[in-house]
């Protein structure tokens, strides 16, 4: 096939009288064809081109898949001098007790009020002629909590053994801080909320007995604590074998039965 002859057939000179273009099927495939002259066209050619375009699908352009959104990492600023404005009076020279009272003084007041309230409700509903006890004070509630925590270090088989006078089992610390009968009284009527209070959801809220205590702790921890830059979230099982509906059993944990909780741990050692 002579390429020169095809080119001569394809191109039409400007001096030629016949200006009708050749049908597209008779054009030869040349690497760089000249731009066609659209000034002269017929309706038949337009219909033919339209039919061909309708039969052949248009090629799709490939693009990169959308990348996932990147999380914006904000610059850590923290509080001034990493100290909460709510606890401006607490300094490096403050005692551990003053720091403890920031978060737990409201709790001590709550325990005293609700314990005394529950004891008075018991006296009103009781038919026996009990001699009324004096109301629990905040100092006694502090001593009660201190003794309860100390019992985890000096373990005895029975509760009354902490006040025993047997020489080989005797622990003078407990008898010096509180009498055994008084400890039993606070333990018996220890309460966190008023049972007769209206507006308490006792069906859906399974923690309604300690809801006030829970909210005080949650608010105080967020108010008096400023987290550092590096934090970690982890789960922990608090050992518990009592009867409770949200108790978990995890075989891989060292403590199989317990209450599942999530901990926010700070690099400074705060949990």
């Amino acid at each position: 096939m002579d390429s020169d002859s095809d080119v001569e057939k394809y191109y039409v000179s400007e001096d030629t009288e016949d200006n009708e273009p050749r049908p597209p099927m008779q054009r030869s495939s040349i690497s760089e064809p000249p731009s066609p002259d659209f000034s002269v066209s017929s309706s038949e050619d337009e219909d033919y081109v339209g039919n061909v375009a309708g039969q052949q699908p248009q090629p799709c352009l490939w693009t990169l898949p959308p990348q996932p959104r990147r999380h914006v990492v904000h610059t850590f600023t923290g509080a001034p001098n990493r100290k909460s404005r709510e606890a401006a009076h607490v300094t490096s020279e403050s005692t551990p007790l003053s720091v403890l009272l920031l978060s737990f003084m409201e709790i001590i007041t709550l325990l005293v009020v609700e314990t005394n309230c529950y004891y008075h409700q018991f006296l009103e509903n009781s038919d026996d002629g009990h001699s009324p006890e004096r109301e629990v004070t905040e100092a006694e509630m502090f001593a009660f909590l201190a003794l309860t925590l100390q019992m985890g270090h000096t373990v005895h088989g029975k509760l009354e053994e902490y006040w025993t006078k047997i020489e080989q089992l005797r622990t003078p610390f407990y008898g010096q801080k509180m009498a055994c009968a008084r400890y039993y009284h606070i333990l018996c009527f220890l309460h966190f909320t008023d049972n007769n209070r209206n507006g308490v959801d006792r069906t859906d809220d399974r923690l309604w007995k300690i809801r006030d205590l829970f909210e005080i702790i949650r608010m105080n921890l967020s108010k008096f604590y400023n987290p550092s830059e590096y934090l970690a979230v982890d789960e922990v099982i608090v050992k518990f074998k009592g009867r409770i509906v949200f108790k978990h059993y995890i075989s891989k944990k060292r403590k199989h039965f317990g209450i599942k909780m999530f901990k926010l741990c700070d690099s400074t050692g705060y949990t």
Side-chain angles (χ1 to χ4, degrees):
M1 179 177 179
D2 192 0
S3 60
D4 295 335
S5 61
D6 293 337
V7 173
E8 291 176 357
K9 291 180 182 180
Y10 182 78
Y11 290 107
V12 180
S13 62
E14 296 178 356
D15 299 334
T16 314
E17 295 180 358
D18 188 11
N19 293 330
E20 286 187 13
R22 299 265 182 186
M25 61 188 66
Q26 296 181 0
R27 299 177 185 175
S28 60
S29 59
I30 305 176
S31 60
E32 293 182 358
S35 59
D37 186 8
F38 292 101
S39 61
V40 181
S41 60
S42 61
S43 61
E44 296 179 358
D45 294 336
E46 292 176 359
D47 295 337
Y48 180 80
V49 173
N51 294 332
V52 173
Q55 295 175 1
Q56 296 180 356
Q58 298 294 330
C60 298
L61 297 178
W62 184 85
T63 57
L64 291 174
Q67 297 182 356
R69 295 182 180 179
R70 295 182 178 180
H71 297 284
V72 179
V73 180
H74 300 280
T75 304
F76 178 77
T77 57
N81 299 327
R82 297 183 60 186
K83 189 194 311 183
S84 175
R85 297 177 182 177
E86 300 288 343
H89 61 283
V90 176
T91 61
S92 59
E93 299 178 356
S94 301
T95 61
L97 180 60
S98 61
V99 178
L100 179 68
L101 292 180
L102 283 176
S103 301
F104 290 93
M105 193 60 208
E106 286 185 72
I107 297 176
I108 299 299
T109 305
L110 175 68
L111 293 179
V112 171
V113 172
E114 297 300 338
T115 301
N116 291 328
C117 179
Y118 182 63
Y119 176 62
H120 290 302
Q121 293 175 358
F122 169 76
L123 292 178
E124 293 176 0
N125 299 327
S126 178
D127 297 333
D128 299 334
H130 294 281
S131 57
E133 295 279 348
R134 68 179 188 274
E135 291 190 348
V136 180
T137 62
E138 293 181 352
E140 288 180 325
M141 187 60 67
F142 268 111
F144 171 81
L145 296 177
L147 294 179
T148 304
L149 294 175
Q150 182 63 27
M151 288 177 182
H153 299 279
T154 55
V155 181
H156 288 288
K158 297 180 180 180
L159 187 60
E160 58 268 14
E161 291 181 357
Y162 291 95
W163 283 268
T164 183
K165 295 182 180 180
I166 302 176
E167 185 176 357
Q168 63 268 26
L169 299 177
R170 184 170 178 264
T171 310
F173 172 76
Y174 297 92
Q176 294 173 0
K177 299 303 177 182
M178 182 177 292
C180 181
R182 190 61 176 172
Y183 183 90
Y184 271 96
H185 171 77
I186 299 176
L187 181 63
C188 180
F189 296 100
L190 183 66
H191 238 63
F192 302 95
T193 187
D194 187 2
N195 295 334
N196 298 331
R197 188 177 64 179
N198 296 327
V200 178
D201 187 7
R202 294 178 172 85
T203 56
D204 296 335
D205 188 7
R206 298 186 181 276
L207 298 179
W208 70 271
K209 280 279 190 180
I210 58 170
R211 177 57 59 186
D212 295 338
L213 174 67
F214 181 83
E215 290 299 326
I216 290 176
I217 295 177
R218 187 180 64 85
M219 294 298 296
N220 288 342
L221 292 182
S222 62
K223 182 169 60 175
F224 296 120
Y225 169 65
N226 291 318
S228 63
E229 183 176 3
Y230 302 102
L231 303 173
V233 179
D234 195 9
E235 63 179 17
V236 62
I237 295 295
V238 179
K239 186 177 180 180
F240 183 77
K241 293 186 176 181
R243 299 179 60 183
I244 195 170
V245 69
F246 47 84
K247 182 175 62 177
H248 286 259
Y249 171 75
I250 302 179
S251 59
K252 296 182 179 179
K253 295 289 185 179
R254 184 171 60 89
K255 303 173 183 177
H256 301 311
F257 293 94
I259 300 174
K260 184 178 179 180
M261 301 177 64
F262 291 92
K263 296 168 57 176
L264 178 65
C265 305
D266 200 327
S267 59
T268 60
Y270 188 89
T271 299

